[in-house]
């Protein structure tokens, strides 16, 4: 075997690390590609022990061509990133097959570094970064181990430690580059691959059942940091699309309200907060009822809906403030007309119901409470599995099935109000949210999606009415935790369980919250580190605003300034580490020095002991015991920990 | 083993009176398989010392008196034409021995000096195209007069470096001198001396020297010494790696004959002057040999790590 030929051990390590390198891609690749890759790795591992199974050159060429053919059939024209990743993964595995010499190992390791960077095209989460860091250390350790002239037996811990040290040394420079590199505006990774994001979220219309699908998702919709205290759950209505138009089954925004000067009166103090919106396919933002100051670049429509450009499919962070009590003032003619629109599915029983209420009450406000009374007293149930409704769902829901959830209640209530001549509309959004005590912010999940109703009353303007609260106040008063049981029978009422009843569940919950808090900070400070944040950081450091050229210059200078620091660190490490034996001996010499018996710096232990004993014959026994032990430990061939401890005890007990 | 060596030193002490330390160093040098240079005034017992060691160690012994007209052939031998056999026949010179005493080596010309020094380094000689090995073991004990004496060719540094140690004998103290003056003739005493060691024992001792433990801490110390000699302005040039090896080997041999199971810094310090003094030169070269002072300065300047 020539020195450049690879042994079994590095090849085994290389194969395993290659498997780990590609592993996170498995979820994104076609199953067949993943299986082919694993098969190649397994073949490689088998041939390590049974070399005669190693495919010949021509067979290998055949396998390569077959792999390429597979990729081209699965991903025609190699469109999209997964195709390229598939190609990279398969070829990496095949390169492993022809890995014989040290040079081949270098090629695979460098390909491995490249493969690692491809993970960030799909995911930039904290866990992935940690995983990549571990693998970088592993790869570097492999590289170091393979570059050794002679390999040592046993685990190559030394190489790994060395690699970890190298990675740690790169850290300061990495930080400088991260904080000072001119930030590229816009989504850097927007390469048409983010198929994992923006799948869920509210849409700008609802049909009965659309929210109940959403509500089953535990995915996070957005997170909110409040400037002051978090408002109570019954005030946490996150306003989304406002729906005006109903065709009996489907509610939609209808003809969008024109943006214009929007005003309302309020005596309440403004509540400021920052929202970090998870990627969604929509172009509107959420704010507490009713928004006052808007994020930069956003507009407010006449029905208090915030829309913004360039917020689709990216994590978006914005600052807003709201006032939680308000009076919207007079109603425009256009809004009155839209707010009274009725579909052609109104049945006589509905008209009769409303007429009955109207007859028994005076003003609009009384009528609203009468309607809520209706929902409260009649046997309505809150369920996520409502029975299927036929051609006229509102009528059926109100008089027959009486099982539904927020969207059923909100839409039917709104229709009834319109029947009574009160302008009304459906508002969708999120309600509530869970406070994360670790980090003190609010997590709003898709399961918090909600729909409620707004009616226009002369005395208070547009007024939020939540009929769901009349049926299931628990839904509003607290973030609800219940088993989202897919298989529950239609119409089974939801039991609102106490969330912290179980210890284990409480711990799980705690763990989830902790993870979420860490992830939120990660997104906020690392991934969300934008040009603005960079500028404010620079301002904080006293640089003011820097042009990109100056920024690059600062980057270079800061890196250059780091180098002497690293050198200093290296020098420190090179210094002879104080050996415990030597430490004890130095202490012993110290104690003698206090009695005037100073050891010359160049004086050997035996000479010194002889001199000490000559001057202080009374110390002979102790001194010779200590010095003999010291000589044996420091200059002798054996290194016995027990003897070391004995020396330590002797020195501790030594009094001159 | 230590007793054996102590016995050698004791026996030698009967002839070289009052110079036990020098004797021990000389013995150390031979145990470390190195050549020895003795530099001192004429008449202090250089030749006697060499002769005594040869007798006690049971080695073949030859002596060359170096003079200014000595030729290389006088040292390594010569091929002579034999009429009867019509061929050249090699007559080995005095160098073909186990212990060679090169007396007053600095009185010979550089040409003769280098013939010997080559044999010392290679432990073989090449004459008329054929290489002849020297006997095993092969030691050279050279003596030289101090450089300031008339009619000397001082050895250049490169050749001094071939000697593991350089020793001074010095005048005996009053009591020892009295014994000398009073006692028998040294030559006749030498004749009565019996060898204390045979070749096998000597070889075993040399192997044991190589096995004396040298710890990392001690290597640190030796490296510190080398480093200091290279960085300090007091020295014209630093000690070579060969000097470092010489230091370790001598210290090992000293530790063996002092009965230490491992090399101690004191062992290094004991042999330091003998081993490095002839390799050091003052930075302000005045031409005066001040090696011993420099070695002492080196010793006192480098703290134990």
């Amino acid at each position: 075997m020539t020195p450049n030929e690879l042994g079994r051990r590095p090849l085994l390590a290389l194969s395993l690390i290659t498997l780990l390198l590609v592993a996170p891609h498995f979820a994104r690749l076609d199953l067949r590609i993943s299986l082919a890759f694993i098969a190649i790795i397994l073949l490689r591992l088998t041939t390590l022990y049974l070399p005669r199974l190693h495919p010949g050159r021509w067979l290998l060429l055949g396998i390569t061509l077959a792999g390429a053919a597979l990729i081209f059939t699965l991903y025609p024209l190699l469109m999209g990133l997964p195709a390229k990743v598939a190609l990279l993964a398969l070829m990496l595995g095949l390169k492993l097959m022809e890995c014989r010499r040290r040079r081949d190992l270098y090629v695979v390791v460098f390909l491995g570094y490249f493969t690692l960077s491809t993970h960030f095209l799909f995911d930039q989460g904290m866990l992935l970064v940690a995983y990549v860091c571990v693998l970088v250390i592993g790869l570097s350790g492999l590289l170091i181990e393979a570059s050794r002239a002679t390999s040592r037996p046993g685990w190559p811990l030394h190489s790994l430690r060395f690699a970890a040290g190298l990675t740690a040394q790169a850290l300061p420079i990495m930080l400088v580059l991260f904080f000072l590199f001119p930030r590229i505006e816009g989504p850097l990774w927007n390469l048409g691959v983010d198929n994992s994001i923006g799948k869920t979220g509210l849409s700008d219309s609802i049909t009965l059942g659309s929210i109940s699908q959403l509500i089953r998702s535990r995915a996070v919709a957005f997170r909110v940091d409040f400037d002051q205290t978090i408002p109570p759950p019954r005030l946490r209505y996150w306003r989304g699309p406002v729906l005006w138009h109903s065709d009996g089954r489907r509610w939609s925004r209808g003809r969008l309200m024109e943006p214009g000067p929007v005003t309302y009166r309020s005596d309440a103090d403004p509540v400021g907060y920052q929202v970090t919106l998870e990627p969604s396919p929509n172009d509107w933002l959420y704010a507490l009822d009713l928004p006052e100051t808007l994020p930069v670049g956003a507009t407010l429509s006449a029905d208090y809906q915030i829309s913004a450009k360039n917020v689709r499919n990216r994590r978006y962070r914005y600052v807003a403030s709201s006032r939680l009590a308000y009076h919207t003032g007079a109603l425009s003619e256009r809004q009155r007309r839209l707010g009274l629109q009725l579909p052609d599915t109104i049945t006589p029983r509905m008209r009769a119901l409303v007429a009955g209420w109207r007859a028994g009450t005076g003003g609009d406000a009384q009528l609203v409470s009468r309607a809520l009374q209706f929902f409260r007293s009649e046997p309505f149930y809150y369920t996520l599995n409502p029975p299927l409704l036929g051609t006229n769902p509102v009528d059926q829901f109100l008089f027959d099935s009486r099982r539904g959830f927020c969207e059923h209640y909100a839409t039917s209530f709104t229709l009834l109000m319109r029947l009574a001549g009160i302008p009304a509309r459906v508002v969708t959004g999120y309600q509530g949210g869970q406070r994360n005590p670790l980090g003190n912010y609010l997590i709003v999940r898709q399961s918090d999606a909600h729909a409620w109703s707004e009616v226009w009353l002369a005395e208070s303007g547009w007024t939020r009415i939540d009929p769901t609260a009349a049926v299931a106040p628990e839904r509003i008063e607290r973030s609800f935790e219940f088993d989202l049981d897919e298989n529950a029978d239609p119409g089974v009422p939801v039991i609102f369980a106490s969330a912290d009843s179980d210890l284990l569940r409480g711990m799980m919950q705690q763990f989830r919250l902790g993870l979420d808090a860490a992830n939120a900070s990660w997104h906020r400070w690392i991934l969300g580190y934008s040009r603005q944040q960079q500028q404010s950081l620079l301002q904080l450091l006293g640089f003011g605003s820097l042009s990109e050229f100056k920024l690059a210059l600062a980057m270079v200078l800061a890196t250059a300034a780091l180098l002497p620091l690293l050198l200093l660190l290296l020098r420190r490490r090179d210094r002879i580490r104080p050996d415990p034996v030597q430490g004890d001996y130095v202490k012993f010499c110290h104690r003698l020095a206090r009695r005037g018996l100073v050891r010359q710096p160049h004086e050997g232990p035996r000479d010194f002991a002889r001199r000490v004993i000559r001057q202080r014959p009374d110390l002979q026994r102790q001194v010779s015991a200590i010095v003999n032990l010291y000589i044996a430990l420091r200059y002798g061939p054996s290194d016995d920990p027990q003897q070391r401890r004995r020396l330590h005890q002797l020195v501790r007990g030594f009094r001159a | 083993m230590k007793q054996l060596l102590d016995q050698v030193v004791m026996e030698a002490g009967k002839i070289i009176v009052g110079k036990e330390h020098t004797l021990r160093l000389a013995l150390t040098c031979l145990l470390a398989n190195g050549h020895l240079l003795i530099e001192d005034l004429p008449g202090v017992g250089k030749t006697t010392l060499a002769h005594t060691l040869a007798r006690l160690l049971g080695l073949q012994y030859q002596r060359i008196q170096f003079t200014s007209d000595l030729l290389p052939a006088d040292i390594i031998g010569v091929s002579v034409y034999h009429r009867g056999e019509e061929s050249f026949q090699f007559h080995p010179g005095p160098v073909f021995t186990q212990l060679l005493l090169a007396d007053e080596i600095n009185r010979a010309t550089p040409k003769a000096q280098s013939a010997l020094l080559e044999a010392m380094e290679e432990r073989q000689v090449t004459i008329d195209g054929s290489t002849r090995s020297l006997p095993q073991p092969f030691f050279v004990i050279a003596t030289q007069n101090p450089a300031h004496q008339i009619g000397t060719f001082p050895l250049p540094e490169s050749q001094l470096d071939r000697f593991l140690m350089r020793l001074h004998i010095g005048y005996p103290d009053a009591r020892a001198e009295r014994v000398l003056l009073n006692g028998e003739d040294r030559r006749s005493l030498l004749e009565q001396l019996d060898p204390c060691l045979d070749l096998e024992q000597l070889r075993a001792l040399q192997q044991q020297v190589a096995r004396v433990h040298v710890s990392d801490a001690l290597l640190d110390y030796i490296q510190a010494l080398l480093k200091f000699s290279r960085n300090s302005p007091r020295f014209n040039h630093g000690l070579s790696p060969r000097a470092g090896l010489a230091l370790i080997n001598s210290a090992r041999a000293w530790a063996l004959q002092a009965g230490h199971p491992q090399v101690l810094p004191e062992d290094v310090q004991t042999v330091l002057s003998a081993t490095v003094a002839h390799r050091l030169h003052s930075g302000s070269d005045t031409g005066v040999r001040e090696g011993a002072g420099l070695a002492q300065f080196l010793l006192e300047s480098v703290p134990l790590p």
Side-chain angles (χ1 to χ4, degrees):
Chain A
M1 198 164 82
T2 66
N4 276 331
E5 206 117 334
L6 286 172
R8 185 185 291 168
R9 225 162 58 112
L11 277 176
L12 181 66
L14 189 63
S15 309
L16 292 179
I17 218 166
T18 309
L19 186 65
L20 292 178
L21 282 177
V22 179
H25 275 318
F26 287 159
R28 305 185 256 272
L29 292 178
D30 191 280
L31 183 65
R32 277 160 288 184
I33 300 279
S34 304
L35 288 180
F37 177 78
I38 293 172
I40 291 171
I41 297 284
L42 284 180
L43 181 62
R44 174 75 258 191
L45 290 177
T46 320
T47 53
L48 280 181
Y49 295 93
L50 297 169
R52 68 195 161 80
L53 287 183
H54 201 288
R57 184 177 305 219
W58 291 107
L59 184 55
L60 212 55
L61 184 66
I63 295 176
T64 311
L65 290 178
L70 178 66
I71 290 169
F72 275 99
T73 45
L74 289 176
Y75 304 100
L77 291 176
L78 282 183
M79 291 287 276
L81 264 186
K84 284 143 198 159
V85 169
L87 196 64
L88 182 66
L90 267 197
M91 296 305 141
L92 182 65
L94 287 168
K95 179 69 200 168
L96 210 57
M97 288 306 292
E98 56 167 24
C99 211
R100 280 194 187 87
R101 289 166 192 291
R102 207 180 275 183
R103 189 188 149 275
D104 300 326
L105 182 133
Y106 294 158
V107 171
V108 175
V109 168
F110 288 122
L111 269 178
Y113 285 125
F114 180 72
T115 310
L116 277 183
S117 67
T118 58
H119 291 306
F120 293 123
L121 296 174
F122 300 91
D123 181 8
Q124 298 110 45
M126 206 172 36
L127 290 176
L128 182 80
V129 171
Y131 184 79
V132 166
C133 281
V134 169
L135 282 188
V136 161
I137 292 173
L139 273 178
S140 310
L142 195 63
L143 204 57
I144 293 166
E145 185 68 16
S147 309
R148 281 188 196 288
T150 54
S151 74
R152 312 178 190 179
W155 275 81
L157 280 182
H158 178 263
S159 297
L160 283 177
R161 217 172 318 150
F162 193 33
L166 284 178
T167 314
Q169 278 167 21
L171 204 68
I173 292 176
M174 187 203 83
L175 288 178
V176 166
L177 294 182
F178 176 77
F179 284 112
L180 293 182
F181 193 87
R183 309 304 291 180
I184 297 162
E185 281 299 291
L188 182 60
W189 308 112
N190 199 358
L191 302 165
V193 283
D194 290 340
N195 48 9
S196 61
I197 61 173
K199 269 185 192 158
T200 51
L202 281 179
S203 67
D204 61 351
S205 67
I206 52 175
T207 50
L208 292 185
S210 60
I211 288 185
S212 73
Q213 287 310 312
L214 198 57
I215 234 168
R216 292 176 197 284
S217 165
R218 295 280 306 164
V220 174
F222 51 89
R223 298 181 176 84
V224 194
D225 290 284
F226 282 92
D227 295 348
Q228 272 115 32
T229 51
I230 299 179
R234 64 187 167 78
L235 289 177
R236 296 199 292 241
Y237 281 86
W238 300 96
R239 193 180 186 89
V242 181
L243 310 180
W244 293 87
H245 183 267
S246 168
D247 65 357
R249 297 186 62 84
R250 182 169 173 275
W251 280 79
S252 61
R253 289 206 261 185
R255 290 184 52 201
L256 280 172
M257 302 296 292
E258 72 286 355
V262 185
T263 53
Y264 59 88
R265 295 197 304 277
S266 175
D267 305 325
D269 292 326
V271 177
Y273 48 90
Q274 297 157 311
V275 179
T276 312
L277 193 64
E278 292 292 305
S280 82
N282 305 321
D283 55 2
W284 59 80
L285 305 177
Y286 299 94
L288 279 179
D289 265 353
L290 287 173
E292 185 178 62
T293 55
L294 300 182
V296 185
T299 52
L300 192 64
S301 67
D303 50 6
Y304 310 106
Q305 200 182 314
I306 307 175
S307 48
K309 291 190 171 71
N310 297 326
V311 298
R312 275 186 201 176
N313 290 339
R314 52 182 284 215
R315 193 179 301 277
Y316 188 70
R317 194 174 156 71
Y318 57 91
V319 181
S321 75
S322 301
R323 292 186 194 250
L324 304 186
Y326 45 84
H327 190 292
T328 58
L331 190 66
S332 75
E333 202 39 53
R334 182 180 161 77
Q335 287 203 13
R336 176 179 295 277
R337 203 177 65 236
L338 284 170
L340 288 174
Q341 177 263 344
L342 283 172
D344 49 10
T345 55
I346 305 298
T347 55
R349 334 192 238 188
M350 288 163 72
R351 284 188 199 282
L353 181 68
V354 175
W357 293 345
R358 183 52 95 187
T361 53
D364 286 350
Q366 265 184 317
L367 192 131
V368 169
S369 46
R370 179 73 192 80
L372 287 176
Q373 182 63 37
F374 166 75
F375 281 109
R376 209 172 292 136
S377 53
E378 295 295 315
F380 281 98
Y381 292 108
Y382 184 85
T383 172
L384 292 181
N385 277 320
L388 276 176
L389 299 172
T391 47
N392 194 342
V394 178
D395 180 77
Q396 261 180 298
F397 168 69
L398 279 177
F399 300 103
D400 302 330
S401 76
R402 294 188 165 176
R403 279 161 163 70
F405 53 94
C406 60
E407 60 190 16
H408 295 80
Y409 294 104
T411 52
S412 50
F413 179 82
T414 306
L415 271 188
L416 292 176
M417 287 303 108
R418 288 183 176 183
L419 268 175
I422 304 171
R425 58 194 183 189
V426 174
V427 184
T428 59
Y430 296 87
Q431 196 279 324
Q434 183 183 19
R435 192 179 86 89
N436 190 342
L438 309 154
N440 197 26
Y441 60 94
L442 204 66
I443 308 172
V444 179
R445 298 176 188 280
Q446 298 297 355
S447 55
D448 293 319
H450 193 50
W452 61 93
S453 191
E454 271 184 344
V455 295
W456 191 87
L457 302 172
E459 51 269 37
S460 56
W462 283 108
T463 309
R464 181 176 62 228
I465 303 292
D466 191 351
T468 314
V471 178
E474 301 92 333
R475 165 69 185 81
I476 307 306
E477 284 304 323
R478 48 177 301 168
S479 182
F480 66 137
E481 279 288 323
F482 50 82
D483 291 323
L484 298 170
D485 190 355
E486 293 277 349
N487 302 321
D489 289 329
V492 173
V494 168
I495 314 287
F496 291 93
S498 169
D500 337 277
S501 56
D502 195 345
L503 179 70
L504 191 68
R505 212 162 131 173
M507 276 164 64
M508 274 300 292
Q509 176 81 354
Q510 202 64 20
F511 174 73
R512 273 210 302 263
L513 287 175
L515 197 66
D516 193 88
N519 244 324
S521 317
W522 174 258
H523 281 294
R524 181 165 173 186
W525 299 114
I526 307 296
L527 297 183
Y529 182 70
S530 65
R531 196 195 177 94
Q532 287 91 344
Q533 271 160 311
Q534 186 179 44
Q535 293 294 351
S536 52
L537 178 77
L538 286 172
Q539 244 142 30
L540 205 72
L541 292 176
F543 288 115
S545 179
L546 291 182
S547 70
E548 263 164 37
F549 173 73
K550 281 187 183 159
L551 208 55
L553 199 68
M555 192 167 74
V556 171
L557 289 179
T559 313
L562 271 176
L563 284 179
L565 216 75
L566 280 179
L567 278 181
L568 211 72
L569 224 82
L570 280 179
R571 280 181 70 100
R572 262 180 75 92
R573 225 181 43 173
D574 278 354
R575 228 186 280 161
I576 297 160
R577 234 172 253 147
D579 164 38
V581 172
Q582 184 67 8
D584 285 335
Y585 180 64
V586 167
K587 203 187 286 171
F588 165 72
C589 293
H590 257 304
R591 296 205 169 150
L592 283 171
R594 264 185 262 152
R595 293 281 175 271
L597 295 161
V598 183
R599 187 177 72 94
Q600 300 298 312
H602 65 273
E603 198 170 18
R606 196 178 286 257
D607 287 350
F608 181 50
R610 212 170 281 153
R611 191 158 63 85
V612 168
I613 291 168
R614 209 164 44 233
Q615 294 187 17
R616 291 282 304 273
D618 55 312
L619 292 177
Q620 177 176 12
R621 223 169 45 86
Q622 290 184 65
V623 169
S624 29
I626 289 175
V627 169
N628 283 340
L629 205 52
Y630 167 70
I631 285 175
L633 282 169
R634 182 139 174 95
Y635 296 106
S638 76
D639 187 22
D640 186 359
Q642 205 178 332
Q643 298 278 24
R644 252 198 249 180
R645 274 197 295 279
R646 228 191 110 222
L647 176 69
H648 189 69
Q649 283 164 0
L650 281 177
V651 170
R652 242 187 14 201
F654 176 75
R655 296 281 177 275
Chain B
M1 281 303 175
K2 185 178 186 303
Q3 286 133 12
L4 209 58
L5 292 167
D6 284 346
Q7 202 195 339
V8 172
V9 174
M10 205 188 74
E11 289 292 325
K14 288 179 185 162
I15 296 183
I16 319 287
V17 188
K19 292 288 170 195
E20 193 194 322
H21 188 70
T22 312
L23 277 172
R24 280 190 184 277
L25 279 174
L27 191 59
T28 299
C29 180
L30 299 190
L31 286 179
N33 211 0
H35 304 295
L36 179 63
L37 178 66
I38 305 176
E39 181 184 277
D40 221 321
L41 297 165
V44 291
K46 299 187 294 266
T47 315
T48 315
L49 175 63
H51 209 152
T52 309
L53 282 176
R55 293 281 307 191
L56 285 172
L57 300 182
L59 299 172
Q60 290 173 357
Y61 172 73
Q62 289 279 357
R63 171 177 175 172
I64 309 173
Q65 181 65 48
F66 277 45
T67 56
S68 53
D69 54 358
L70 190 79
L71 294 174
D74 297 332
I75 301 171
I76 57 181
V78 67
S79 293
V80 178
Y81 185 70
H82 269 243
R83 262 232 187 110
E85 296 164 27
E86 299 206 331
S87 67
F88 282 94
Q89 203 174 14
F90 179 64
H91 290 254
V95 77
F96 288 90
T97 186
Q98 288 172 326
L99 196 149
L100 178 71
L101 174 61
D103 226 352
E104 303 191 58
I105 190 171
N106 58 343
R107 281 186 64 198
T109 53
K111 191 174 178 181
Q113 284 174 359
S114 57
L116 174 67
L117 292 161
E118 209 177 306
M120 283 165 57
E121 185 66 15
E122 314 278 327
R123 290 176 197 263
Q124 61 185 22
V125 287
T126 304
I127 306 141
D128 300 337
S130 66
T131 301
R132 287 159 209 273
S133 295
L134 294 174
Q136 274 296 332
F138 176 69
F139 297 118
V140 172
I141 298 181
T143 70
Q144 71 170 355
N145 300 322
H148 52 78
Q149 294 226 328
I150 300 165
T152 54
F153 294 96
L155 293 173
E157 273 100 54
S158 62
Q159 297 191 338
L160 276 175
D161 202 30
R162 310 250 164 107
F163 290 99
L164 183 70
M165 284 190 190
R166 186 181 68 179
L167 293 178
H168 298 275
I169 297 180
Y171 298 120
D173 58 22
R175 224 183 56 190
E177 195 153 30
R178 190 58 161 267
V179 175
L180 269 176
L181 294 174
N182 214 1
E184 259 185 275
D185 177 29
R186 300 291 120 184
R187 299 278 154 166
S188 55
L189 274 178
L190 253 175
E191 296 304 315
Q192 299 160 15
L193 215 54
D194 288 322
C196 295
L197 291 176
D198 57 26
L199 267 183
E200 275 310 305
Q201 281 171 317
L202 182 63
R203 201 162 290 154
L205 277 171
Q206 284 182 341
Q207 279 166 5
Q208 242 180 318
V209 166
R211 283 201 297 269
V212 176
H213 181 76
V214 172
S215 68
D216 284 345
L218 191 93
L219 290 179
D220 286 344
Y221 179 50
I222 287 183
Q223 282 192 300
L225 286 169
L226 296 180
K227 192 173 167 192
F228 183 82
S229 77
R230 290 164 193 172
N231 294 341
S232 166
R234 276 289 292 272
F235 304 108
N236 190 18
H237 51 253
L239 291 169
S240 64
R242 177 151 60 183
L245 274 173
L247 199 51
I248 288 190
N249 287 336
S250 323
R252 275 190 159 127
W254 181 268
L256 180 77
Q257 62 121 351
H260 301 159
Q262 65 270 316
V263 182
L264 295 184
E266 285 92 332
D267 298 326
V268 176
Q269 291 172 352
T270 310
V271 300
L272 185 73
S273 177
T275 319
V276 304
H278 59 292
R279 303 170 209 256
L280 285 176
H281 278 277
S282 164
S284 53
D285 203 348
T286 53
V288 180
R289 296 280 166 110
E290 45 187 347
L294 284 176
Q296 190 61 26
F297 169 72
L298 177 63
L299 189 152
E300 285 172 5
S301 305
V302 180
L304 287 183

